[in-house]
Amino acid sequence: MSVPSAVTDKHLRWGFHKCFNCIRKLGYKWNHKRVYRVYCELKLNLRVKRKQRIAPRRTEKLSVPNKLGKCWSMDFISDSSRNQRRFRTFNVIDDFNCEALSIDIAVSLPADRISRYLDKLTKYHSYPLKIRVNN
C-alpha cells in the first residue's frame, strides 16, 4: 500500500494539499509533482463543486397605500421568555396607518391555525386588496 492511499484511507475527504502536507510531516521528502501523480493514479482527485450564482434580486419600492385596509403586512417573530421557553408571534399590520390589527402568540403556529385566525380577523376588518409577507 502506498503512502498517499494510507493517508487518504484514514481521511477520506482531504484534498491533495492536505495529503501532501501530511506526507511531508511523516518524513518523506517527495516533491509535490510526484505525490500528485500518485494521487491522480489512485483516482483520489475529487471534483470541486463550484457555487452556483444566484441572479441578483431587483428591489422594488414599497407602495404606500392611500386607504385604510388596502394592504396588510404579515410576519412571524420568534422570542424566548426568561425560563428559555421559546414562543412565536404572528403579527398582522395595516400598512396605511401602521396599526397592529392582531397579534397571535403561541408555542406552535400551524398553517390551519393561521388560516382560521385570518378568517376570524376578516370578520372585524374587511378583506385587504394586497397582503405582504417576507418570503
Side-chain angles (χ1 to χ4, degrees), residues 2 8 18 20 34 40 66 68 79 81 103 115 117 121-122 126:
S2 65
T8 55
K18 241 181 176 180
F20 176 68
R34 180 178 183 181
C40 290
N66 56 4
L68 189 67
D79 202 2
S81 59
I103 299 174
S115 63
Y117 195 71
L121 184 62
T122 55
S126 62

Side-chain angles (χ1 to χ4, degrees), residues 25-103:
K25 286 179 184 175
L26 290 174
Y28 293 94
K29 298 295 181 194
W30 300 338
N31 66 6
H32 68 280
K33 293 177 275 188
R34 180 178 183 181
V35 174
Y36 188 71
R37 182 175 41 83
V38 174
Y39 185 80
C40 290
E41 285 176 4
L42 293 171
K43 296 193 181 350
L44 297 173
N45 46 346
L46 300 173
R47 187 174 71 92
V48 177
K49 287 181 93 176
R50 302 281 182 216
K51 283 188 176 182
Q52 290 184 346
R53 290 193 167 214
I54 300 172
R57 290 184 181 179
R58 289 184 299 163
T59 57
E60 298 175 10
K61 288 189 174 182
L62 294 177
S63 61
V64 179
N66 56 4
K67 194 169 86 175
L68 189 67
K70 188 174 181 182
C71 181
W72 290 357
S73 293
M74 297 188 309
D75 195 15
F76 292 95
I77 297 176
S78 181
D79 202 2
S80 63
S81 59
R82 282 190 176 171
N83 62 357
Q84 304 302 319
R85 182 143 170 101
R86 302 210 41 97
F87 62 91
R88 297 184 77 191
T89 65
F90 173 66
N91 306 313
V92 180
I93 299 171
D94 190 352
D95 289 342
F96 177 69
N97 57 358
C98 297
E99 175 189 2
L101 300 177
S102 68
I103 299 174

